[in-house]
Amino acid sequence: DEVHFDDPAADVAAVFDLIEQRLALMPAVASWKYAKSLPVVDADREQVVLDATVARAEKLGIEPGSARTLFALQIEIARRIQAEKIDAWRSGREQPPPVRDLARELRPALDDIGDRLLRAIYLALPELQRPGFANSPAALQWQKRFGADAAKLVGALAALRDTPVPALARIKASAVLRIGTTGDYAPFSSDAGGILRGADIDAAVQLAKALGVEPHFVRTSWPTLMGDYRGGRFDIAMSGISITAERAAEAAFSASYHRGGKTPIVRCGRETSLDTLEEIDQPGTRVVVNPGGTNERFVREHIARAKVSLHPDNRTIFDEIRLGRADVMITDDVEVELQVRGKPGLCRATPATFTQGDKAILMLRDGELLKAVDGWLANEQRSGAVTRRLESALATAPVH
Ligand SMILES: O=C(O)C(=O)C[C@]1(C(=O)O)C=C[C@@H](O)C=C1
């Protein structure tokens, strides 16, 4: 099965669509009432609708007052549509549509739309809460197409807020696990032409299955990871994320599922002469490094005598070694594994690493969620699934 990123614009469009679907049933509702000579307003039924909205919103972490306001507005518009239709039928200007049973058919359909609308709102909430939402092109376009009522509805949508609820209970109530991932880090998370692949993508699909919910992949990036976390855009993030003190100060981390560190990659045959820092840091050694990240930081801190050259292009940096223009690069051991499998002539100099770091699942702080994720992960480690997924991703990940 192919895995893709969620589309935030589609989440918003689903909200608009369900509001339209709800109102589109009102001529049928009015037709029943017209045929049975019933009044448009049914206060008891309105109370049932609003109570159900509040109860469901609370479970989803949607601030219940803001959800209630939106549904009260939909009811107000529904009443008006019905009154207008009944007027038109009474005066003979229009013919009523065929009568459909209100209690057995129409209200269950309205209940179902209401549930789906709240779930759609839940998924779209980060977009709806953006400061510019009411004036976003999507909102303005819908207003233009849908007319006067839409402006008020957009106002009520823009006023929806999230409210804190324990993450695992919310995930189960929504039946969705929102997974933040970057799509730029093989063998853990890579986006190849819109299809997500990698060990962490496969793991996330399995984790969602274990929790009994649907995986939704939310696009994030290294610079925005913690901002997206704070903005409530995902429940967990899986992307080969290293545990750092900075991240752990805000988010929870699962147990480690990968331990690794910096290690040298060399031209095959030169392994034994370049497998320690002492050997590498000689005046005759040419070290190549990509600038800006932890690789450069490591080289600056540990290489004093060797000649260091910066190579800014990650796609060609390994060719520098292959073609003999550099002797060694020091990078993360997973990346070394990926390169030596994909590029003949390149070899890992030592099974050891110069540094040690852990990768883990980043998640919202909720004891129940942590327990569920760690319990699942321990199982996956025991069964060998974690190793198997990494091996398979290393065998198939694109090597640039
Ligand atoms: O269920 C009905 O009878 C409707 O007319 C629909 C609806 C609603 O929007 O939920 C609208 C007005 C009524 O007072 C009660 C409920």
Side-chain angles (χ1 to χ4, degrees), residues 13-37:
V15 170
F16 291 146
D17 182 55
L18 285 160
I19 289 177
E20 288 190 39
Q21 282 187 39
R22 192 178 196 285
L23 291 176
L25 282 174
M26 293 311 157
V29 171
S31 180
W32 170 271
K33 290 178 180 171
Y34 182 62
K36 310 281 167 192
S37 299

Side-chain angles (χ1 to χ4, degrees), residues 45-55 67-69 71-72 75:
R45 169 61 184 173
E46 290 185 4
Q47 199 56 52
V48 168
V49 171
L50 294 174
D51 288 350
T53 299
V54 164
R68 193 183 193 283
T69 302
F71 275 73
I75 290 174

Side-chain angles (χ1 to χ4, degrees), residues 26-27 30 80-90 94 97:
M26 293 311 157
R80 207 208 53 232
I81 292 172
Q82 291 181 50
E84 282 169 6
K85 283 293 162 193
I86 290 172
D87 264 4
W89 300 332
R90 217 168 250 144
E94 282 178 32

Side-chain angles (χ1 to χ4, degrees), residues 22 26 31 64 68 71 75-76 82 85 90 122 129-130 158 163 171 186 200 234 238 259 267 269 292 365 400:
R22 192 178 196 285
M26 293 311 157
S31 180
R68 193 183 193 283
F71 275 73
I75 290 174
E76 184 192 311
Q82 291 181 50
K85 283 293 162 193
R90 217 168 250 144
Y122 169 73
Q129 287 187 98
R130 266 183 203 274
T163 187
I171 290 161
D200 281 12
F234 50 71
M238 297 175 73
R259 215 164 152 60
R267 211 156 46 253
R365 284 183 161 162
H400 50 241

Side-chain angles (χ1 to χ4, degrees), residues 200-212:
D200 281 12
I201 304 300
D202 296 344
V205 169
Q206 292 309 314
L207 172 58
K209 196 186 262 177
L211 294 175

Side-chain angles (χ1 to χ4, degrees), residues 76-350:
E76 184 192 311
I77 298 166
R79 285 184 193 166
R80 207 208 53 232
I81 292 172
Q82 291 181 50
E84 282 169 6
K85 283 293 162 193
I86 290 172
D87 264 4
W89 300 332
R90 217 168 250 144
S91 69
R93 271 181 285 127
E94 282 178 32
Q95 288 297 308
V99 173
R100 288 156 68 185
D101 193 288
L102 181 62
R104 274 200 297 253
E105 191 191 336
L106 295 169
R107 284 182 176 168
L110 289 170
D111 290 340
D112 179 55
I113 291 173
D115 277 356
R116 281 157 56 207
L117 176 54
L118 282 166
R119 191 180 122 120
I121 285 170
Y122 169 73
L123 293 175
L125 208 46
E127 290 300 312
L128 301 176
Q129 287 187 98
R130 266 183 203 274
F133 169 71
N135 295 309
S136 64
L140 294 175
Q141 212 181 329
W142 187 61
Q143 275 183 48
K144 211 151 99 198
R145 195 166 57 75
F146 201 58
D149 292 329
K152 276 201 209 164
L153 287 163
V154 164
L157 289 172
L160 289 165
R161 288 293 169 266
D162 62 63
T163 187
V165 280
L168 184 61
R170 179 172 48 64
I171 290 161
K172 295 225 159 141
S174 67
V176 170
L177 178 66
R178 299 171 309 154
I179 305 126
T181 199
T182 59
D184 68 349
Y185 189 19
F188 297 105
S189 168
S190 36
D191 174 3
I195 299 167
L196 283 169
R197 292 213 178 85
D200 281 12
I201 304 300
D202 296 344
V205 169
Q206 292 309 314
L207 172 58
K209 196 186 262 177
L211 294 175
V213 300
E214 217 180 90
H216 280 224
F217 288 92
V218 176
R219 189 190 290 279
T220 185
S221 69
W222 297 106
T224 63
L225 177 68
M226 294 315 289
D228 291 343
Y229 169 81
R230 263 174 254 128
R233 292 187 166 260
F234 50 71
D235 305 309
I236 68 172
M238 297 175 73
S239 210
I241 298 171
S242 295
I243 301 178
T244 66
E246 205 185 354
R247 290 170 181 155
E250 277 189 79
F253 274 109
S254 70
S256 163
Y257 63 83
H258 179 86
R259 215 164 152 60
K262 304 292 178 199
T263 198
I265 180 169
V266 299
R267 211 156 46 253
C268 295
R270 305 211 54 203
E271 295 93 323
T272 49
S273 59
L274 289 166
D275 58 352
T276 65
L277 267 177
E278 293 67 37
E279 283 170 328
I280 292 169
D281 197 14
Q282 296 300 323
T285 312
R286 296 162 302 167
V287 176
V288 67
V289 65
N290 57 315
T294 54
N295 287 347
E296 186 184 7
R297 196 200 300 170
F298 179 85
V299 164
R300 297 277 171 231
E301 282 170 9
H302 295 95
I303 301 296
R305 287 140 51 82
K307 181 172 171 288
V308 174
S309 64
L310 294 177
H311 188 92
D313 189 346
N314 275 338
R315 285 166 306 177
T316 56
I317 194 163
F318 294 95
D319 290 336
E320 294 297 293
I321 301 167
R322 233 158 37 131
L323 301 173
R325 291 198 286 260
D327 301 306
V328 58
M329 174 172 173
I330 302 166
T331 186
D332 289 325
D333 58 344
V334 247
E335 169 145 59
V336 169
E337 289 298 327
L338 190 61
Q339 292 298 330
V340 301
R341 286 170 199 222
K343 294 203 173 149
L346 289 176
C347 281
R348 179 171 178 162
T350 167

